């Protein structure tokens, strides 16, 4: 059936395609689909959400109805002693239902992008951090240092909305942007960050080196210049993307970043801004934390939550879990290979090389049904609108049916 636009929707709506959750998008209800103010990620997201789909639930690769598929999923989970709920590409309401089912099924939970999230979590747990909000960046930041990221790969409209936007409270000048640790420098970031901290703390060995000496491919003069600009800033912001730090023990580099921010704040005003990875990772971790006391990479045992940032990862759990429930409703991310039975609840555009034991196409949050998401700065929860009519059930509806059959 050709999708129809929900003509009762407000003109403006929120885009869940990245952590900015831009809320100034406008939908043209005429054909072809036209979305004003959407970035490349947003356009791709909504084009797929509005595409015609004939996707149906399936069991063992054969089409079936929703009731039969949820019964098959419940049967798999009932037999499992150590199921893994992974992917978790959903929003707040979807994650609430996942947590409820996980407690009943004694499951382990891990988000598809938790490798990056855990790096931030470990640094925050170890020494704390000082972070800011998107609104503060727009209204106050006069110097921005991006470490290991170009920012726009994660958030395409970052500069448009927060840097070039002249509609600010304090009529501040356009911020100066500095980049550190891009391309070939990225794997040398641990060395570079240690050097920045050493210079900030006036350690003698570095101060005796010549300004043209290199550390991690960057001159000491350049590192000193970065520090001087941060020290002179009225409101400096340091941005990083933990998921882009693809080297061992990257959480130590995140900690070096937060330590530099802390030291700068002894005499200046500088804040951090960690970028998230998407697919609802911020919303999922907030929901998990307030319901269980822990972010994902947690597990329910006899109704009690446990947490282990290493052993409860998807990579580790695939070796011992006897069932995998993979959720990816924002995008068509494929489940990892697994010898155990696989249940997939996700984007109707899912294509599989090997059919899972059960597949249930679900509605896309922010397009097929309403929902709630946390912005990447964790300070604002944004409502997602229903933009088109769809017969696909929401993740919450699917999980409720599985939960009822599991009893």
């Amino acid at each position: 059936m050709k999708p129809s636009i929900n003509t009762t929707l407000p003109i403006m709506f929120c885009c869940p395609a990245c952590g900015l959750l831009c809320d100034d998008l406008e939908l043209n209800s005429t054909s072809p689909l036209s979305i004003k103010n959407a970035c490349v990620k947003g356009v791709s997201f909504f084009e797929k959400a509005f595409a015609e789909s004939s996707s149906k639930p399936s069991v063992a690769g054969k089409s079936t109805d929703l009731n039969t598929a949820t019964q098959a999923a419940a049967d798999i989970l009932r037999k499992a002693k150590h199921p893994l709920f992974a992917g978790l590409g959903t929003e707040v309401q979807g994650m609430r239902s996942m947590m409820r089912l996980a407690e009943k099924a004694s499951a382990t939970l891990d988000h598809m992008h938790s490798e990056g999230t855990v790096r931030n979590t470990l640094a925050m747990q170890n020494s704390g951090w000082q972070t800011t909000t998107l609104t503060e960046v727009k209204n106050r930041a006069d110097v921005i240092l991006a470490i290991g990221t170009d920012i726009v790969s994660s958030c395409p409209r970052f500069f448009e909305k927060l840097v070039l936007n002249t509609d600010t409270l304090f009529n501040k000048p356009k911020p100066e942007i500095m980049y550190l640790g891009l391309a070939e420098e990225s794997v040398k970031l641990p060395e570079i960050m240690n050097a920045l901290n050493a210079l900030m703390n006036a350690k003698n060995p570095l101060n005796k080196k010549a300004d043209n000496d290199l550390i991690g491919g960057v001159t000491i003069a350049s590192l000193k210049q970065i520090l001087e600009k941060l020290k002179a800033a009225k409101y400096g912001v340091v941005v990083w993307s933990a998921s882009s730090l693809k080297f061992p023990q990257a959480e130590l580099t995140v900690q070096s970043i937060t330590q530099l921010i802390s030291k700068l704040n002894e005499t200046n005003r500088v804040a951090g801004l960690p970028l998230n990875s998407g697919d609802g990772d911020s919303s999922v971790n907030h929901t998990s934390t307030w319901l269980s006391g822990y972010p994902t990479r947690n597990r329910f045992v006899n109704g009690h939550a446990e947490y282990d940032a290493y052993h409860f990862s998807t990579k580790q759990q695939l070796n011992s879990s006897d069932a995998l429930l993979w959720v990816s409703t924002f995008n068509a991310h494929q489940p990892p290979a697994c010898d155990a039975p696989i249940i997939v609840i996700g984007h109707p555009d899912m294509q599989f090389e090997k059919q899972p034991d059960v597949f249930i196409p679900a509605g896309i949050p922010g397009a097929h049904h309403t929902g709630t998401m946390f912005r990447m700065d964790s300070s604002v929860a944004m409502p997602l609108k229903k933009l088109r009519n769809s017969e696909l059930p929401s993740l919450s509806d699917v999980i409720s049916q599985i939960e009822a059959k599991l009893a």
Side-chain angles (χ1 to χ4, degrees):
M1 183 177 69
K2 187 175 182 178
S4 60
I5 294 174
N6 178 10
T7 55
T8 62
L9 68 121
I11 295 174
M12 312 292 281
F13 62 95
C14 178
C15 173
C18 83
L20 290 179
L21 296 185
C22 299
D23 61 349
D24 60 345
L25 276 66
E26 296 182 32
L27 182 66
N28 183 350
S29 60
T30 60
S31 182
L33 177 68
S34 174
I35 302 173
K36 183 179 177 181
N37 296 331
C39 69
V40 62
K41 282 189 175 182
V43 169
S44 176
F45 175 84
F46 287 110
E47 282 181 344
K48 292 174 182 176
F50 275 77
E52 293 186 48
S53 175
S54 58
S55 185
K56 300 290 184 182
S58 65
V59 174
K62 296 182 179 180
S63 294
T64 186
D65 58 86
L66 179 61
N67 182 63
T68 302
T70 53
Q71 182 64 62
D75 291 342
I76 290 172
L77 293 177
R78 188 182 300 107
K79 296 174 183 176
K81 294 183 179 180
H82 306 290
L84 170 64
F85 292 1
L88 302 184
T90 184
E91 38 72 69
V92 171
Q93 286 82 357
M95 186 58 183
R96 290 181 72 94
S97 66
M98 292 298 297
M99 293 290 289
R100 194 173 62 242
L101 182 62
E103 185 172 0
K104 277 193 172 184
S106 297
T108 303
L109 298 120
D110 186 33
H111 193 273
M112 66 181 80
H113 300 314
S114 64
E115 283 298 320
T117 306
V118 164
R119 292 165 191 157
N120 284 335
T121 301
L122 291 174
M124 181 175 62
Q125 288 174 335
N126 185 270
S127 54
W129 61 14
Q130 294 157 294
T131 57
T132 188
T133 67
L134 301 183
T135 303
E136 287 286 85
V137 174
K138 184 183 78 169
N139 288 322
R140 299 182 185 275
D142 57 343
V143 174
I144 297 175
L145 171 62
I147 298 179
T149 176
D150 63 3
I151 301 180
V152 293
S153 296
S154 298
C155 305
R157 297 185 70 196
F158 182 92
F159 292 101
E160 172 196 343
K161 293 181 68 68
L162 306 178
V163 177
L164 303 177
N165 190 344
T166 58
D167 184 19
T168 63
L169 289 179
F170 308 113
N171 195 30
K172 68 175 180 66
K174 177 184 173 182
E176 179 175 2
I177 313 297
M178 301 182 290
Y179 295 93
L180 181 62
L182 289 177
E184 68 275 1
E185 296 172 4
S186 61
V187 293
K188 300 175 183 176
L189 264 179
E191 187 178 355
I192 294 170
M193 288 309 307
N194 287 339
L196 271 176
N197 276 290
L199 289 168
M200 187 65 201
N201 288 281
K203 297 295 184 182
N204 289 331
L206 274 186
N207 287 324
K208 290 180 180 180
K209 286 181 173 288
D211 282 355
N212 60 355
D213 283 350
L214 295 175
I215 295 181
V218 181
T219 65
I220 290 180
S222 296
L223 296 179
K224 287 181 178 179
Q225 186 180 35
I226 288 172
L227 287 178
E228 290 308 312
K229 289 185 177 182
L230 286 172
K231 289 177 183 178
K234 291 183 178 179
Y235 195 104
V237 175
V238 180
V239 183
W240 72 92
S241 171
S243 62
S244 298
L245 307 180
K246 300 185 183 300
F247 46 82
Q249 285 78 54
E251 66 274 8
L252 298 179
T253 297
V254 175
Q255 188 170 30
S256 291
I257 294 171
T258 61
Q259 287 173 344
L260 177 66
I261 293 169
S262 179
K263 186 66 178 179
L264 284 163
N265 270 286
E266 291 180 4
T267 54
N268 302 84
R269 193 173 186 185
V270 179
L273 183 68
L275 305 178
N276 68 349
S277 300
D279 288 287
D281 57 347
S282 297
S283 302
V284 162
N285 277 293
H286 287 319
T287 306
S288 175
T289 301
W290 80 57
L291 289 176
S292 72
Y294 300 110
T296 54
R297 294 200 175 176
N298 53 344
R299 167 188 289 175
F300 282 95
V301 178
N302 297 323
H304 299 285
E306 299 177 351
Y307 174 73
D308 191 309
Y310 175 75
H311 290 100
F312 292 171
S313 70
T314 297
K315 182 178 179 180
Q316 295 295 319
Q317 288 297 305
L318 285 175
N319 299 322
S320 57
S321 295
D322 50 5
L324 170 63
L325 171 54
W326 179 263
V327 172
S328 184
T329 60
F330 289 111
N331 297 287
H333 295 301
Q334 302 298 300
C338 180
D339 292 332
I342 300 176
I343 305 163
V344 175
I345 306 173
H347 198 287
D349 197 31
M350 285 272 198
Q351 301 293 325
F352 304 99
E353 290 185 7
K354 179 182 177 182
Q355 286 293 327
D357 296 81
V358 178
F359 170 54
I360 302 174
I364 302 170
H368 300 160
H369 63 82
T370 60
T372 306
M373 288 188 76
F374 276 91
R375 216 167 57 182
M376 71 179 188
D377 57 2
S378 303
S379 62
V380 176
M382 299 292 292
L384 302 179
K385 304 295 183 182
K386 178 181 178 179
L387 302 180
R388 56 154 289 191
N389 298 314
S390 172
E391 296 178 355
L392 293 170
S394 69
L395 173 65
S396 297
D397 292 337
V398 174
I399 295 300
S400 293
Q401 290 195 35
I402 293 174
E403 189 179 8
K405 294 177 172 67
L406 197 60

